[in-house]
Amino acid sequence: MQHYTMAQLPGMVGKELALSDWLTVDQDRIQRFAEATDDHQWIHVDVERAKAGPFGAPIAHGYLTLSLIAGFSQRNLAIDDSPMSVNYGLNKVRFPNPVRVGSKVRARMTLQSCEPIEGGPAGKGGLQLVTVVTIEIEGASKPACVAETVRMIYA
């Protein structure tokens, strides 16, 4: 877990904030995501057909890969003097490489920008962070996902 204060964040622009541990994407996680989202495309959930398909195995949904960012962030990055942060959205998302079942992935988080914001739940303002999150696949030259996340950190 990497710990920062709000005062430290402007100086971290352009630098890596955190690198997560590896996480195995197994078929159970893929099935549960399919159930939660109603996306039962065969390349994800039909194990036998997917083995004979273009990827040689079932692959994780792109949005499953993207959704892992929330957990990676919570487990690996803390802003100690902020009582609350919220996901504000995404600027750009790309899925350059599929995540085959059984692959290990991790998140590399680099701060792209840090801007002050006014207001917020307590009226004390805070920071808007844009972070480039790269979901790497163990042993692969291309990442699974590259996303610009936008997060509001409140004072």
Side-chain angles (χ1 to χ4, degrees):
M1 174 75 76
Q2 295 295 316
H3 292 265
Y4 299 95
T5 63
M6 291 178 68
Q8 290 175 304
L9 290 171
M12 293 300 296
V13 171
K15 297 178 182 170
E16 186 174 290
L17 292 176
L19 178 64
S20 77
D21 291 333
W22 292 104
L23 172 77
T24 301
V25 179
D26 59 17
Q27 189 63 42
D28 181 61
R29 183 181 295 267
I30 293 169
Q31 294 293 141
R32 287 183 286 130
F33 189 84
E35 290 299 320
T37 61
D38 236 3
D39 181 353
H40 300 280
Q41 187 177 12
W42 67 269
I43 60 174
H44 308 303
V45 300
D46 187 333
V47 174
E48 292 309 312
R49 186 174 175 194
K51 285 180 184 177
F55 304 109
I59 61 170
H61 306 71
Y63 287 143
L64 165 55
T65 304
L66 180 65
S67 74
L68 295 174
I69 292 172
F72 282 136
S73 295
Q74 289 175 9
R75 289 187 303 276
N76 295 282
L77 181 60
I79 312 303
D80 293 332
D81 56 348
S82 172
M84 186 181 84
S85 71
V86 294
N87 174 12
Y88 191 67
L90 300 159
N91 289 337
K92 183 177 178 181
V93 178
R94 295 292 182 266
F95 302 107
N97 201 4
V99 176
R100 288 170 182 79
V101 69
S103 295
K104 291 183 180 181
V105 297
R106 69 178 177 186
R108 186 177 300 275
M109 297 166 245
T110 302
L111 187 60
Q112 182 174 316
S113 68
C114 177
E115 300 295 330
I117 56 173
E118 295 182 14
K124 298 178 184 177
L127 299 170
Q128 177 179 290
L129 308 179
V130 176
T131 304
V132 176
V133 182
T134 304
I135 305 292
E136 303 172 345
I137 305 169
E138 187 176 50
S141 60
K142 290 193 311 186
C145 177
V146 180
E148 290 179 12
T149 65
V150 184
R151 186 173 171 191
M152 301 298 202
I153 307 294
Y154 296 107

